[in-house]
Amino acid sequence: MLIAIGIPTSSAQDEALIVERVRLPRAPEVDVGDRIATIVRFDLRRYALRFLTESHEGPRRPATDWVREHRLVGAINAGMFLPSGRSCGYLRARGEVRSNRRPARFDAVIGFDPRASAAPFAIGGTGCGVDLDGMTERYDSVLQGVRMMVDCEGRAQRTWRTRRYSAALLGADREGRAVMVHVRTPYRMQVLAEMLAADALGLRGLVYMEGGPEASLVVDAGRTQVREMGSWEDGFHEADDVREFWDLPNVVGVEAR
């Protein structure tokens, strides 16, 4: 049965952490996967975000180990990375620059650990009214993302990439919560963006973090457990057979306040 987007096939929630699993309306071109988007929403009055990187909290390890060893509530990829483990884009963690790269084509940015009276978490870039420089003025923790998927008005953004892969994404919703999204089923990112921009999901800024086998999302909050890993990536790993988390050098962690 086709379940309309925005109506969760299952959910787990308390007042500050909500997990939804929604069946996406479009079948993938590759005949694999369950079409499920796992969406986790964190109320930032109860939870805080932090960067953990191989250069400072290493060595690289699966998302499950990052969560367990640092007593986190959850974790997702902190953007794409070079073979050295360094972030492909700009990354500053609590005031310390850990990657000063600023690729011109990267069109999205996330920020937290606010200065002064800024919101606890913000999305910038295409369709969001603030650029990387503006974000670094307002937040001590900043990450430059390769592409904006859904902008701050809830509009799907065009992407120049056409390959199909599993995906991990990080953004916000219209209630101001941080939102982590994982889709193992391989889609072209333009198609995925259009589905995730559905008004029923209420996403208001969603940034691509990673794709393929590395795409990871973990939540460990008592009876609320999420273990999502990617698999397919065109031209790299064209199979839906990954059953263990890959090692990650950098993650965005979630911790209880």
Side-chain angles (χ1 to χ4, degrees), residues 2 23-35 185-188 191 195:
L2 176 65
R23 193 159 192 250
L24 299 171
R26 294 178 62 174
E29 297 171 347
V30 180
D31 188 22
V32 300
D34 56 12
R35 294 161 55 178
T185 303
Y187 287 100
R188 299 185 193 277
V191 173
M195 292 189 291

Side-chain angles (χ1 to χ4, degrees), residues 3-207:
I3 298 175
I5 194 166
I7 306 300
T9 62
S10 64
S11 65
Q13 65 181 48
D14 62 25
E15 61 184 21
L17 192 164
I18 299 172
V19 179
E20 300 166 332
R21 290 184 171 85
V22 177
R23 193 159 192 250
L24 299 171
R26 294 178 62 174
E29 297 171 347
V30 180
D31 188 22
V32 300
D34 56 12
R35 294 161 55 178
I36 297 296
T38 299
I39 302 171
V40 186
R41 305 174 195 260
F42 296 94
D43 185 335
L44 296 177
R45 293 171 295 186
R46 287 269 303 276
Y47 297 101
L49 303 178
R50 62 178 292 202
F51 290 124
L52 297 102
T53 67
E54 181 180 39
S55 62
H56 288 65
E57 293 87 16
R60 67 183 65 187
R61 67 203 83 172
T64 46
D65 290 1
W66 281 112
V67 169
R68 183 183 70 255
E69 294 170 16
H70 289 272
R71 299 181 179 180
L72 303 172
V73 174
I76 197 169
N77 308 72
M80 299 173 65
F81 58 90
L82 302 172
S84 65
R86 183 184 180 191
S87 175
C88 288
Y90 182 88
L91 193 159
R92 184 169 71 190
R94 296 180 175 174
E96 180 183 15
V97 176
R98 300 189 181 181
S99 173
N100 60 5
R101 302 181 84 248
R102 293 176 174 240
R105 67 182 182 181
F106 280 31
D107 71 344
V109 59
I110 66 171
F112 51 92
D113 293 329
R115 299 174 177 179
S117 59
F121 178 58
I123 306 297
T126 301
C128 287
V130 60
D131 60 11
L132 176 59
D133 288 338
M135 196 70 77
T136 58
E137 292 176 0
R138 302 176 192 182
Y139 293 89
D140 282 332
S141 294
V142 176
L143 174 66
Q144 187 183 21
V146 64
R147 76 181 63 88
M148 183 72 69
M149 297 284 287
V150 178
D151 72 15
C152 294
E153 299 297 324
R155 301 170 298 204
Q157 290 295 300
R158 301 293 300 177
T159 175
W160 51 270
R161 288 185 178 266
T162 60
R163 292 190 299 169
R164 301 161 297 193
Y165 31 79
S166 308
L169 312 109
L170 174 62
D173 66 13
R174 57 187 161 216
E175 281 75 42
R177 295 171 293 198
V179 179
M180 295 180 176
V181 179
H182 191 282
V183 181
R184 180 180 172 105
T185 303
Y187 287 100
R188 299 185 193 277
M189 291 300 98
Q190 183 64 49
V191 173
L192 182 59
E194 290 168 0
M195 292 189 291
L196 294 177
D199 189 62
L201 297 182
L203 300 177
R204 295 295 182 268
L206 189 62
V207 179

